[in-house]
Amino acid sequence: MIVTKEPTSMENVRSVIEAFYDMKQWHFVCINGLFENDELEIQWAFTKIGAKDEWKVFCAKAPGDAILPSLADLLPTARMYEGELRDLLDARFENSRKGMFIELDGPDAPLRRKR
Amino acid sequence: MKKTINIPLGSQHIALLEPVRFSFTCENETIVGVEADVGYVHRGVELACTTTFKFKQVGYVVARVCGLCAIIHSTCYTLAAEELMGQEVPRRASYLRLIANELDRIHSHMLCLAHTAENAGFEALFMRTMKDRELVMEAQEAMTGNRVQFDYVSIGGVNRDITTDIEALIRQRLGLLKEKVGEIKELFENNWSLSLKYKGVGIITAENAYRNSALGPLARASGIDFDVRNESAYLPYGELGFASVTMSEGDIHARNMVRLLEVFESIRLIESALDGLPEGEIAAKVRGTPEGESYMRVEAPRGECFYYLKASKGQYLDRVRIKTPTFGSVPAMIEALKGANYADAPAIIASFDPCLSCTAR
């Protein structure tokens, strides 16, 4: 398995992915989020179509309360993952709203909890 | 004159197997706008996997994400954890995992086919498909010890071996199933009312499928040859000569036919795996603890299932991220519904085989 991680900044992630993404060459897998040391790390994962286990993962970090760029116009499924991470991690993507995944009276950002 | 009305479907509705709510904006009978709410059965599985359960237990927790594709979730998690541990797996265990995964795919596809028949008002075909599905459920029970929540896969291998009696039972049930599915395929292919209901309805073009990152039978019915069994070497599919199934029409009929043809391919894979089942142990000794990041995906009945793990050598994982195929298919489902007749909405939704337990976790 080949996983290439490409760190970038939140300011540049949109232009970097826009330049990289060809929907017939790369399959958009999902957006992943981690919360460590009061910082959010967001990962955009892609696999190469027709290649065995070839991954490209763009990652960018931001403070926990930052407004994050939405890629929903570029990757339609991103809207789902952005809404999910908004509820589970309080990752504040542009134009995302709370309540898509957890009811509004449900727990707040449960994945920010520590063991 | 056009009249615009909003019609809700769900969260509890007779046409839906699981809770999901759609809000349709219709102009007369035509759907022009769709909103979907998928979060009715969220259970906090990802949090539980990093706070309550140790990494060796997590495989059994994620099997509870979904009753239909339990084995897929535990396989995907286990492969990801094994990668982080550098864990070896005996070849016999890999073959047994493949057999269990394909049995799971067959019973899931047959449930979907039964449900789509029910949505067309073809009750007799629904009951017949469910009755024939019992053959694969019996094979699954004999092999794994349970019909639904089978805790079969574990880190290092599998938990049960198969005896010659069980192998004979699986072969006998699959032989019978092949005949029965052949008859069901004939009905789906040629029955006039099913054709009228399904052909040319709920179309996803290849371009739309690419744009919406469509997965599984949905993408393959739109002519995109994308199957994780081809794109990853997670189980020995290459050794058994796996061949993916594609069609080009992109409508409900094509999605049903892809699933039907995949049942035949799964039966062939299981029979080949049983023919070439390696001798030896079914599990290797588990050593160490996971460390690092792992990206793993497997082909679930509905498409790509993805697991991300992060660990730092402790008993508890730092992060477990699960992406299930239905969640990724919602935008494509919305595209298929736009422009369709409202009366076709239940059949279009059923043809996506949505699994909300997986989606909401």
Side-chain angles (χ1 to χ4, degrees):
Chain A
M1 185 177 295
I2 307 161
V3 181
T4 311
K5 277 187 86 172
E6 188 172 319
T8 183
S9 65
M10 280 297 172
E11 291 76 32
N12 292 338
V13 71
R14 185 185 169 80
S15 56
V16 168
I17 290 179
E18 201 166 8
F20 156 81
Y21 183 56
D22 174 345
M23 66 182 182
K24 292 186 179 170
Q25 298 261 333
W26 291 89
H27 167 67
F28 173 49
V29 179
C30 81
I31 304 176
N32 181 25
L34 298 99
F35 185 73
E36 288 171 347
N37 306 322
D38 294 326
E39 199 174 47
L40 275 169
E41 180 183 335
I42 306 295
Q43 302 180 348
W44 291 263
F46 299 82
T47 55
K48 192 164 177 65
I49 296 172
K52 285 246 189 270
D53 293 318
E54 191 176 332
W55 292 78
K56 180 90 169 176
V57 181
F58 296 93
C59 46
K61 291 185 176 180
D65 58 354
I67 302 296
L68 310 174
S70 168
L71 300 189
D73 56 328
L74 191 63
L75 309 161
T77 45
R79 188 176 70 87
M80 302 295 295
Y81 306 123
E82 289 170 4
E84 178 189 5
L85 293 177
R86 174 77 202 245
D87 281 356
L88 296 181
L89 266 175
D90 199 19
R92 297 174 189 180
F93 289 93
E94 293 164 338
N95 304 321
S96 65
R97 58 181 172 86
K98 284 184 80 171
M100 188 188 87
F101 206 68
I102 299 179
E103 293 303 307
L104 288 170
D105 58 355
D108 214 22
L111 290 185
R112 285 197 181 198
R113 282 186 210 158
K114 291 198 171 75
R115 192 162 51 244
Chain B
M1 193 179 87
K2 285 179 184 171
K3 186 180 177 187
T4 302
I5 48 171
N6 291 317
I7 309 174
L9 183 92
S11 58
Q12 302 293 333
H13 190 279
I14 193 150
L16 304 170
L17 289 180
E18 292 179 81
V20 56
R21 192 178 72 86
F22 293 93
S23 178
F24 297 114
T25 305
C26 297
E27 282 180 358
N28 294 336
E29 295 288 312
T30 306
I31 298 169
V32 293
V34 187
E35 284 201 13
D37 186 350
V38 298
Y40 286 93
V41 278
H42 178 65
R43 287 153 288 156
V45 170
E46 289 179 11
L47 179 67
C49 289
T50 54
T51 54
T52 309
F53 298 97
K54 295 179 181 176
F55 78 91
K56 280 186 186 170
Q57 300 168 317
V58 168
Y60 304 116
V61 178
V62 295
R64 271 76 187 159
V65 166
C66 176
L68 279 172
C69 41
I71 195 86
I72 305 286
H73 283 281
S74 46
T75 300
C76 195
Y77 166 75
T78 303
L79 289 166
E82 285 168 353
E83 189 182 272
L84 293 182
M85 298 163 70
Q87 175 70 44
E88 285 185 8
V89 179
R91 268 174 59 74
R92 186 176 178 85
S94 288
Y95 270 66
L96 291 172
R97 285 177 179 180
L98 184 149
I99 294 169
N101 273 256
E102 292 309 308
L103 285 172
D104 198 50
R105 189 178 324 279
I106 295 171
H107 93 78
S108 178
H109 278 0
M110 292 196 72
L111 180 76
C112 174
L113 291 163
H115 186 47
T116 45
E118 188 191 22
N119 267 300
F122 203 155
E123 292 289 331
L125 181 58
F126 161 73
M127 286 186 274
R128 182 184 168 165
T129 310
M130 290 301 280
K131 178 172 169 277
D132 294 341
R133 178 174 173 261
E134 281 303 302
L135 291 166
V136 70
M137 300 301 283
E138 286 164 11
Q140 228 171 212
E141 184 176 6
M143 183 176 178
T144 67
N146 215 346
R147 282 168 60 91
V148 183
Q149 298 288 7
F150 20 75
D151 293 323
Y152 188 67
V153 178
S154 61
I155 293 175
V158 295
N159 288 330
R160 282 164 69 113
D161 205 349
I162 56 170
T163 61
T164 48
D165 285 350
I166 292 172
E167 183 185 331
L169 182 143
I170 294 171
R171 285 184 189 276
Q172 189 265 343
R173 297 293 194 276
L174 291 183
L176 267 177
L177 185 70
K178 215 186 300 184
E179 281 175 35
K180 303 283 186 189
V181 176
E183 292 164 14
I184 293 170
K185 176 172 165 277
E186 179 74 16
L187 279 167
F188 270 93
E189 242 170 1
N190 299 320
N191 181 274
W192 182 80
S193 60
L194 284 180
S195 296
L196 195 68
K197 191 87 180 159
Y198 293 153
K199 283 187 178 169
V201 177
I203 293 175
I204 294 276
T205 61
E207 197 67 19
N208 246 336
Y210 272 122
R211 181 166 159 70
N212 288 291
S213 311
L215 309 159
L218 165 65
R220 294 193 285 276
S222 297
I224 299 176
D225 190 4
F226 181 80
D227 192 312
V228 182
R229 289 173 286 180
N230 266 337
E231 307 260 330
S232 171
Y234 69 98
L235 287 175
Y237 285 104
E239 293 172 27
L240 301 176
F242 167 70
S244 59
V245 177
T246 56
M247 292 191 75
S248 58
E249 294 86 349
D251 55 7
I252 299 179
H253 175 76
R255 294 196 272 278
N256 287 339
M257 293 311 295
V258 164
R259 289 192 184 95
L260 273 161
L261 295 171
E262 284 189 356
V263 169
F264 289 112
E265 178 62 9
S266 292
I267 293 173
R268 189 194 67 73
L269 284 168
I270 295 166
E271 288 174 343
S272 299
L274 287 172
D275 290 342
L277 190 62
E279 294 293 328
E281 297 296 315
I282 59 162
K285 192 167 174 57
V286 179
R287 297 173 202 278
T289 48
E291 184 184 24
E293 285 180 294
S294 172
Y295 300 81
M296 187 58 65
R297 58 187 180 145
V298 304
E299 183 71 18
R302 291 158 193 80
E304 177 191 70
C305 177
F306 162 78
Y307 271 67
Y308 165 85
L309 302 187
K310 186 171 184 188
S312 42
K313 269 194 165 299
Q315 288 295 318
Y316 292 89
L317 298 165
D318 298 333
R319 176 78 165 105
V320 176
R321 167 78 164 116
I322 307 169
K323 175 238 159 165
T324 60
T326 299
F327 197 65
S329 296
V330 171
M333 198 189 303
I334 289 172
E335 284 299 314
L337 286 162
K338 282 182 188 168
N341 193 301
Y342 176 73
D344 291 327
I348 294 171
I349 295 166
S351 76
F352 278 75
D353 193 13
C355 179
L356 277 306
S357 288
C358 274
T359 297
R361 286 159 272 136

